[in-house]
Amino acid sequence: MYGFRSSRNNLGSGVAMARIVSAVGSAFALIEVIYIVLQIAKANPANGAYQFVQRMADPLALFFPGLFTFSEPDLTVMANYGAAAVFWVIVSGLIARALA
């Protein structure tokens, strides 16, 4: 009667998919950041949690490991895995924008 519409009821499938893509990209970036923190904090590589995060972070880093090499190993990890985290945020954002 008054022409008000609830935005919750009008979410299209594109917007829902955009949110999912954005969430997945953010989760991938978070995994990379957690791995960076574990590396810099000198976490025990024999620990199961460390190994779990490493097994997830390595394939998500795609082609970035080895892209940058510095004399300081922590800086190398930050640059390579940080670039992968930024990549996931940007790519998922672009895809989400296209879907919305």
Side-chain angles (χ1 to χ4, degrees):
M1 175 169 151
Y2 294 106
F4 295 113
R5 292 185 180 178
S6 171
S7 63
R8 291 181 183 215
N9 294 334
N10 294 329
L11 288 178
S13 62
V15 173
M17 286 301 298
R19 287 183 178 175
I20 291 170
V21 167
S22 182
V24 169
S26 296
F28 287 177
L30 181 62
I31 291 167
E32 298 297 334
V33 170
I34 291 170
Y35 181 67
I36 292 169
V37 170
L38 290 175
Q39 281 289 112
I40 292 172
K42 305 293 185 219
N44 180 7
N47 184 289
Y50 176 91
Q51 291 174 355
F52 175 74
V53 171
Q54 183 183 30
R55 281 194 307 266
M56 291 177 62
D58 283 341
L60 291 176
L62 303 173
F63 52 84
F64 290 101
L67 183 62
F68 301 105
T69 55
F70 299 103
S71 59
E72 180 66 35
D74 288 344
L75 186 58
T76 301
V77 169
M78 285 176 48
N80 290 324
Y81 287 87
V86 170
F87 169 82
W88 284 114
V89 169
I90 290 172
V91 169
S92 66
L94 291 173
I95 294 171
R97 181 170 284 186
L99 291 172

